Amino acid sequence: MTHPSMKIKKHISLKPYNTFGIEAYADAFAILEDKEDLFLLQSLKEQYGKILILGGGSNVLFTDNFKGIVIHNQLSGIEILSQDDQYIHLKVASGVNWHSFVLHAIKKNWGGIENLSLIPGTVGAAPMQNIGAYGVEVKNVITKVTAFNIEKGIFEEFDNPSCQFAYRESIFKHPENKGKYFITDVTFQLIKNPTTFNTSYGDIQKIIDASQDSTIHLKNISEAVIKIRQQKLPDPKELGNAGSFFKNPEITNEETNILLKEYPQLPHYPLSNGKTKIPAAWLIEHCGWKGLKVGNTGNHCQQALVIVNYGKATGQEIKLHAQNVQESVLKKFNISLQTEVNFIPY
Ligand SMILES: Cc1cc2nc3c(=O)[nH]c(=O)nc-3n(C[C@H](O)[C@H](O)[C@H](O)COP(=O)(O)OP(=O)(O)OC[C@H]3O[C@@H](n4cnc5c(N)ncnc54)[C@H](O)[C@@H]3O)c2cc1C
């Protein structure tokens, strides 16, 4: 079988391809820029055993070498499908950098994703875990996801309900779908010249009020979000990490009341599903992990939810550390933390 435009390289270090900066090797590695090459993926999967679709590598932890082929997504292009006075519909190729897309939308005055500024990674990975930040989730603006079914060799379309979006979840993240779909395009519905904004979360409004231009528009919301993120989150170029390592747990109201008796200061946010969301960062901090360095890893001093690589950590070391954090939270609060980061090999 020939691979027209995909050049397969053997025994490649994945260190430049993951924001944790973990040294792990892939048996084989190829860059995919042309949709035609998707039809080769099944045979490559058979040849190399396993397949991993990799975007920006900002939500993965390599716990071992990858015995299979890594396909690095570089599909590009933004297409306007339709528009009216209110909305614009855009089909964005999955390899487009997420933040560049956000900046493009802001420049055109299309609203809906400005609060999601500076999230690393690709457009194609955004529906994967339904990225969210500062009171907004990407599911609010996605109308369709197009994915190539590698086994069947066909393109499939998922409308918003079929994506089964939930908090940091989608159908594509389900264990049975790992390595099954290559998301090729995401269709967004953005608002043209928006007049309502979401500035209530965190310090967005405060930063805008304090700025010289206190009228609210997409650009200064984005700039406020960028400012907050740069202050709070470690830059992976300086300190390896994959953002939040754990999800914020949702517990029952009964469990919340029991905890509140012992920890009256516990932050808790009632949800519409009858459960209560607890910030994982608070739980981790109150187990003493915030800013604690353990060997080559530890929890960041500004944001306990972020586990960092101080330079030479292995994926196993970080995994073990994360397990210790989980165990201590379970022991102290009887809450089981779920990981947000994707462990590879899966
Ligand atoms: C500093 C920092 C801050 C972050 N902040 C946030 C935040 O605020 N909110 C948030 O939600 N996330 C955040 N993240 C996590 C991460 O940026 C997002 O999850 C992002 O969407 C991952 O994109 P990626 O292209 O890097 O995905 P990758 O890490 O390359 O892949 C992640 C998973 O998706 C799969 N995948 C990727 N592309 C495709 C595709 N085209 N088709 C099928 N499967 C695919 C991979 O196989 C893997 O399982 C942060 C990460 C960092 C490092």
Side-chain angles (χ1 to χ4, degrees):
M1 162 84 59
T2 54
H3 304 291
S5 55
M6 270 203 299
K7 239 172 116 183
I8 315 258
K9 293 185 189 164
K10 302 279 174 66
H11 194 63
I12 286 291
S13 165
L14 297 170
K15 197 170 177 175
Y17 300 101
N18 72 100
T19 60
F20 250 127
I22 298 294
E23 183 70 283
Y25 282 82
D27 287 350
F29 179 96
I31 290 175
L32 190 137
E33 297 173 290
D34 185 341
K35 280 187 190 161
E36 278 302 307
D37 288 338
L38 291 164
F39 293 93
L40 305 170
L41 296 186
Q42 177 60 15
S43 75
L44 287 171
K45 194 175 172 181
E46 280 162 17
Q47 189 179 343
Y48 291 99
K50 266 190 164 185
I51 196 161
L52 171 71
I53 319 300
L54 197 61
S58 63
N59 204 16
V60 290
L61 177 68
F62 289 109
T63 56
D64 204 347
N65 292 331
F66 187 71
K67 301 208 174 313
I69 184 162
V70 170
I71 305 292
H72 186 37
N73 178 17
Q74 287 191 8
L75 292 175
S76 63
I78 301 179
E79 186 192 342
I80 296 178
L81 294 180
S82 64
Q83 56 185 314
D84 55 27
D85 290 346
Q86 228 184 334
Y87 297 112
I88 183 148
H89 292 94
L90 303 149
K91 187 174 180 181
V92 186
S94 57
V96 170
N97 174 270
W98 173 260
H99 184 59
S100 330
F101 171 51
V102 173
L103 293 181
H104 177 73
I106 289 168
K107 209 166 160 188
K108 299 279 188 185
N109 208 21
W110 300 331
I113 50 176
E114 57 283 358
N115 291 43
L116 303 177
S117 294
L118 211 64
I119 296 182
T122 52
V123 165
M128 187 76 192
Q129 73 153 7
N130 177 25
I131 57 167
Y134 299 94
V136 171
E137 286 184 313
V138 78
K139 74 177 168 75
N140 303 344
V141 289
I142 291 180
T143 55
K144 193 162 69 184
V145 172
T146 311
F148 182 76
N149 183 322
I150 296 171
E151 280 160 30
K152 292 186 180 162
I154 52 165
F155 288 91
E156 291 181 28
E157 293 195 334
F158 297 79
D159 62 10
N160 184 299
S162 319
C163 291
Q164 298 180 26
F165 288 125
Y167 167 61
R168 298 299 174 275
E169 274 298 337
S170 77
I171 190 168
F172 305 105
K173 214 179 167 183
H174 293 181
E176 69 275 16
N177 289 330
K178 296 241 157 125
K180 182 171 172 186
Y181 290 109
F182 188 121
I183 295 170
T184 57
D185 302 274
V186 184
T187 305
F188 296 89
Q189 176 181 275
L190 301 182
I191 304 159
K192 286 168 81 177
N193 308 315
T195 50
T196 52
F197 307 97
N198 190 338
T199 59
S200 57
Y201 204 95
D203 283 342
I204 301 178
Q205 188 66 53
K206 214 162 108 186
I207 291 175
I208 295 173
D209 288 344
S211 71
Q212 290 189 333
D213 173 13
S214 58
T215 51
I216 297 172
H217 48 79
L218 298 178
K219 191 161 175 279
N220 63 5
I221 293 176
S222 170
E223 284 169 358
V225 168
I226 290 173
K227 195 170 175 185
I228 301 167
R229 293 184 70 96
Q230 284 174 336
Q231 279 167 359
K232 284 198 178 163
L233 293 167
D235 180 351
K237 286 195 197 97
E238 287 158 19
L239 203 55
N241 74 88
S244 305
F245 201 93
F246 303 102
K247 294 183 190 177
N248 291 314
E250 293 177 9
I251 60 175
T252 63
N253 293 340
E254 204 184 330
E255 287 164 334
T256 311
N257 291 335
I258 294 171
L259 279 174
L260 278 171
K261 276 192 194 128
E262 205 172 338
Y263 306 98
Q265 73 283 33
L266 175 82
H268 56 288
Y269 305 96
L271 301 168
S272 51
N273 61 6
K275 291 195 165 184
T276 304
K277 189 174 273 191
I278 310 290
W282 190 93
L283 302 171
I284 295 167
E285 188 178 341
H286 284 79
C287 286
W289 294 106
K290 191 176 180 181
L292 200 70
K293 192 173 173 212
V294 185
N296 297 302
T297 184
N299 294 65
H300 192 244
C301 55
Q302 306 257 70
Q303 174 50 275
L305 200 46
V306 177
I307 294 183
V308 298
N309 173 8
Y310 285 105
K312 291 199 176 116
T314 62
Q316 279 299 337
E317 200 177 349
I318 292 175
K319 185 180 172 186
L320 191 70
H321 176 72
Q323 282 168 351
N324 289 336
V325 171
Q326 281 171 312
E327 273 168 30
S328 67
V329 169
L330 184 65
K331 205 168 158 199
K332 192 171 170 77
F333 298 106
N334 197 25
I335 292 180
S336 164
L337 290 182
Q338 306 299 312
T339 54
E340 180 179 313
V341 171
N342 299 280
F343 286 54
I344 313 283
Y346 50 86

